[in-house]
Amino acid sequence: MAFDPNKDKVLKKWKCPETGLVVTINQYDQGEAKVQIGPRILKKQDGSDRAPTKAGRLTIEDILWLYDMMDEIKDELTDLQRPA
């Protein structure tokens, strides 16, 4: 079975304003919802978004932001895992 991008959904998205790190909850077709860390979306000098890049190694700012967001991310993922 080949990957079908139309079946890949982003259910929830967070972005760190300081570092551009993006965390999403994704689901493929009817599969389990899962957390993805990255990409990183940085800003150009004119304030517009640059093309997404790999998250790469996380800075202390990234870690502190993730730590602060973890309960919200966990709660959202837990709610998505519960049977309807």
Side-chain angles (χ1 to χ4, degrees):
M1 178 168 77
F3 175 77
D4 181 354
N6 294 320
K7 294 181 179 181
D8 198 26
K9 300 175 274 195
V10 174
L11 304 176
K12 183 79 176 184
K13 179 178 179 178
W14 298 267
K15 182 179 175 186
C16 177
E18 290 84 25
T19 67
L21 183 67
V22 175
V23 173
T24 55
I25 297 178
N26 301 331
Q27 182 180 33
Y28 184 77
D29 200 13
Q30 298 301 313
E32 179 183 6
K34 297 178 182 177
V35 173
Q36 176 174 321
I37 299 174
R40 189 179 299 277
I41 302 175
L42 302 173
K43 296 282 183 187
K44 295 180 185 177
Q45 286 184 336
D46 67 7
S48 62
D49 288 343
R50 289 178 28 187
T53 62
K54 289 183 180 180
R57 296 175 182 173
L58 302 183
T59 65
I60 188 66
E61 290 85 5
D62 292 324
I63 295 298
L64 292 172
W65 176 77
L66 269 174
Y67 181 79
D68 289 343
M69 299 301 299
M70 196 55 63
D71 285 338
E72 183 179 338
I73 294 167
K74 176 187 59 90
D75 291 345
E76 188 72 29
L77 186 61
T78 300
D79 289 345
L80 290 167
Q81 297 296 335
R82 291 195 178 116

